[in-house]
Amino acid sequence: MTAPRPAALALGFAALLSAETGCRNANLASVMAQTPSYEPEGQTRCGVARSHARPLIIEWPAHDRSELETLVAEGERMIAVRFAGCEMELLRGCSAAGSYRYQGVQPKREDYVFKRADDLYAKIPLGAANLEAELERHGALTLGMTVVGRWQGGHGRPARIDLRGDCDQATHVISGLSVGAFRLSSEAGAEIRGEVGWMQVGAGAGSSAARGLVRSDGDLAACGDAGGDGPPHRCRALLRVEVTAIREPAEVAAARARQVCPRDAALVEGGRFRASVGGQVELADFCLDREEVRVADYAACAAKGPCSEAATSARYKGADEELAWANGQCNGDRAGRRRHPINCISWNQAAAYCQWAGGRLPTEVEWEWAARGGEQERTYAWGEQEPGPRLVNACGEECARARARLQPALKHGLQDMPPETWLKLHGKSDGEVGTARVGSYAAGRGRGQVADLAGNVWEWTASQEISYQTGEEQNVGWGGPDTGRRATRGGGFLSTDDNDVRTTARRLRDVKDRRPDLGFRCAYDP
C-alpha cells in the first residue's frame, strides 16, 4: 500500500477550506460538522474515521500536547481548536467560558494492534499520515495505554457568540481529555499472545525484526494510583481529546425557533455582558413574562391554594401618614383592579406564585439583560428617548398633585407647598396616580414586546443582597450570608428620578416588605 503523497493531502484539506471560502456565511465548523466521505486510493483518508470526535493525540506534536496540558491544568477557560480532517490546531487566542475538573478512575488498559492504514485514520487521525509509512515498512504498529482519569469540561455545545478572542478559525472546543501513559512501537509481524503482560511485542514476543519506531509519554508502571486531585506523577500524559463542534448562528437561530415559551412569555436570547452589578456575566436563553403578574392571575393562585391571599395593606418602613395613604393603593383582589399588577406582595409570595406557574423569579442580571434589549444596550427599555407620559407610568403632574393634597397629613414642614414644587419625573400627567393596567404604555414596551420594564411597579427578583466584587469574571450570586433583602428592578408609579426608570435601576427591599409600588413577573427555563 502506498502512503498518500503530501500533495494529495493538501488537495484534501484545500477542498475543505474552499467550501468555507465559497460560502461566506458558512464557517469552517459547519463544514467539519459532517464527517467527510471516503476518498479514493491515493487521496486523504481522514474521512474514514468513525471516532473523530474523540481522537487519540499521541502523535500530536509534543510542544502542542505540553501546552495543552498546561492550559487544562490551569483550569481558567475552555480551549478552542481548529479541527479539520487529520489536522488540529490549538488556538491560543480563542477560548470559551468554563474550566476543566479532574476525575480519577480505576486504571484501565487499552491495547491495540494496527495492521491496516484505515485503522490508523480511525483511531489516530492526528498524525496518521506520518504513521502510515511506518506501518507499511514494518507490517504492524502496537499501542499500549493506561488511562487513569480524565479532565472534564463544561456540558453542552457553545455558540460562536460565546467565544472570546480571535476565534474566526475556531471549529470546536475541547470538552474532555483522557489522561495516563502510552507506548507506541512498530515491528514486523507484531502480535499479541494471550494475556501475557501488556502488549507483549518486541524481542521474545512474536517478532523477529528489530524495533523501528518507539513513541512514549509517561511511565506505564507508575499508573497504579488513581487517587488525589490530579493524575499520578509520571502518568499524566494526554491521550485522547473529546471535541464539541461550535454552534453557528444559523443553527442557534433554528434551535431557538423550536423553543417554546409559556403563553404570554417572550424568549430572551442569552449572551455575555457587563452587568451594572457583578461585572462580566453570561446568560443562557430564558423566557420572561411579557407583562407583570396581574391581580386576576394572583387571585387564581390564591383560590387554588398554593398562594396566600394578597394583602390589602402596606408594610414597610415609613411614616404612619404615608402608610395610611399607601394602604389605599394596594390592589388586593379589588374588582376594578383585576388587570392591574398585583402589588403589596412580599418576596416569598411572589416566589410561591412563580413556582405555581411553572417558573421562577428572574435573577436581576436576567431582568437587566431583558430590559437592555440584550446586546442593544438600551438606556431605557424602549430605547433612548427620555421618559414621558406615553412611555412610562411614573410620578408626573398627577402624582405631584396627589402628594400636595397629602401634605397637611404628612406634617413634615411642607404645608402650603404648591404642587409644581414637588419632585416629579416629567411635567405632564400620565393618567394614573397609582398603578395602571398592565401593558397600558405600548410605546414604552421593550424588546420582544415586554411591557412595563420601567414604571408601574418595581419588580422583585431572585437575587439577594450580596457584597459584589468588581473583578473581570465574577459570578453573580456569590456572597456572604443572606441579609433578608432582595434586589428589585424597574421603578414604579412613585418614581421621580430618571435613574429609577433606566435599565440599570435597582433597589434593595426586605423580603417582608409589602409596598404599593412593588410587584413582580416570572421567568421560565425553555
Side-chain angles (χ1 to χ4, degrees), residues 93-144:
C94 176
S95 62
S99 60
Y100 299 96
R101 181 176 59 87
Y102 180 76
Q103 182 176 3
V105 299
Q106 287 297 318
K108 293 178 173 58
R109 303 308 303 257
E110 294 187 26
D111 299 329
Y112 301 95
V113 173
F114 300 99
K115 294 186 177 181
R116 299 187 312 130
D118 288 356
D119 295 335
L120 286 177
Y121 284 100
K123 294 290 186 182
I124 320 176
L126 309 179
N130 295 330
L131 293 174
E132 189 174 0
E134 295 289 344
L135 179 63
E136 184 175 348
R137 183 178 303 114
H138 296 280
L141 295 178
T142 61
L143 171 64

Side-chain angles (χ1 to χ4, degrees), residues 40-63:
E41 185 69 25
Q43 298 186 30
T44 179
R45 299 183 182 181
C46 297
V48 176
R50 295 180 180 177
S51 57
H52 272 192
R54 302 180 66 246
L56 290 168
I57 59 171
I58 59 175
E59 192 66 5
W60 212 28
H63 68 276

Side-chain angles (χ1 to χ4, degrees), residues 179-524:
V179 184
F182 75 89
R183 182 175 183 274
L184 174 71
S185 66
S186 63
E187 281 189 87
E191 62 182 44
I192 302 176
R193 288 184 173 177
E195 302 294 330
V196 181
W198 78 275
M199 293 299 298
Q200 294 290 336
V201 296
S207 174
S208 58
R211 178 179 298 143
L213 170 124
V214 176
R215 299 270 200 278
S216 65
D217 194 357
D219 183 353
L220 290 162
C223 296
D225 182 11
D229 296 330
H233 182 57
R234 297 188 299 160
C235 187
R236 55 186 61 189
L238 301 181
L239 306 175
R240 175 183 281 114
V241 298
E242 298 174 21
V243 295
T244 302
I246 295 164
R247 292 190 299 158
E248 298 301 327
E251 183 182 355
V252 173
R256 283 171 171 162
R258 295 192 298 269
Q259 290 177 337
V260 179
C261 289
R263 182 181 178 183
D264 299 326
L267 176 66
V268 181
E269 297 177 358
R272 187 171 186 267
F273 78 117
R274 182 177 294 278
S276 58
V277 289
Q280 205 77 18
V281 295
E282 297 193 33
L283 295 173
D285 294 356
F286 63 98
C287 302
L288 188 67
D289 282 340
R290 285 194 173 91
E291 296 180 342
E292 293 160 333
V293 174
R294 298 171 298 179
V295 168
D297 300 327
Y298 189 86
C301 179
K304 295 180 180 179
C307 299
S308 57
E309 291 186 0
T312 56
S313 61
R315 180 190 182 279
Y316 61 96
K317 290 182 180 179
D320 291 342
E321 296 84 357
E322 181 183 350
L323 288 172
W325 174 82
N327 287 341
Q329 303 301 318
C330 291
N331 292 331
D333 191 12
R334 293 159 63 182
R337 298 291 183 95
R338 303 283 286 177
R339 294 180 60 187
H340 284 238
I342 190 66
N343 61 357
C344 298
I345 290 290
S346 71
W347 183 87
N348 287 310
Q349 287 177 303
Y353 173 88
C354 287
Q355 184 176 10
W356 172 76
R360 55 181 174 79
L361 287 172
T363 66
E364 66 171 325
V365 291
E366 285 177 329
W367 194 101
E368 182 177 329
W369 176 251
R372 287 188 178 196
E375 71 282 354
Q376 294 180 358
E377 296 287 339
R378 299 178 180 185
T379 301
Y380 308 96
W382 56 83
E384 301 306 313
Q385 184 180 352
E386 292 192 0
R390 295 179 57 255
L391 297 170
V392 57
N393 178 23
C395 189
E397 183 66 22
E398 78 296 331
C399 173
R401 291 187 178 279
R403 289 188 172 188
R405 289 194 298 270
L406 283 174
Q407 60 177 314
L410 293 177
K411 299 178 181 178
H412 287 308
L414 302 176
Q415 288 84 351
D416 302 323
M417 196 172 164
E420 58 269 19
T421 62
W422 283 80
L423 291 175
K424 49 195 171 187
L425 183 62
H426 52 74
K428 297 182 179 179
S429 173
D430 58 36
E432 296 288 349
V433 174
T435 60
R437 288 184 177 185
V438 297
S440 295
Y441 299 81
R445 287 178 179 265
R447 191 174 182 181
Q449 293 299 300
V450 181
D452 298 318
L453 286 168
N456 217 12
V457 288
W458 289 83
E459 297 177 14
W460 285 114
T461 74
S463 301
Q464 69 181 58
E465 179 184 20
I466 63 174
S467 299
Y468 286 104
Q469 299 180 19
T470 57
E472 180 70 15
E473 302 292 339
Q474 284 296 320
N475 291 322
V476 174
W478 177 262
D482 190 347
T483 64
R485 299 207 293 175
R486 298 292 185 270
T488 65
R489 288 287 190 146
F493 66 82
L494 292 174
S495 293
T496 60
D497 191 335
D498 175 84
N499 288 328
D500 278 358
V501 294
R502 291 177 176 242
T503 56
T504 54
R506 71 189 296 261
R507 291 286 185 274
L508 292 169
R509 302 294 185 191
D510 189 280
V511 295
K512 297 180 180 179
D513 280 355
R514 301 194 305 266
R515 297 180 59 94
D517 61 344
L518 178 55
F520 68 100
R521 75 179 75 220
C522 301
Y524 312 85

Side-chain angles (χ1 to χ4, degrees), residues 65-118:
R65 286 195 293 116
S66 297
E67 184 171 0
L68 179 58
E69 184 177 333
T70 299
L71 291 173
V72 169
E74 288 175 353
E76 296 179 353
R77 55 179 178 147
M78 297 279 286
I79 299 160
V81 294
R82 183 189 67 84
F83 186 22
C86 294
E87 285 188 345
M88 181 180 289
E89 178 186 358
L90 189 62
L91 300 179
R92 295 158 179 82
C94 176
S95 62
S99 60
Y100 299 96
R101 181 176 59 87
Y102 180 76
Q103 182 176 3
V105 299
Q106 287 297 318
K108 293 178 173 58
R109 303 308 303 257
E110 294 187 26
D111 299 329
Y112 301 95
V113 173
F114 300 99
K115 294 186 177 181
R116 299 187 312 130
D118 288 356

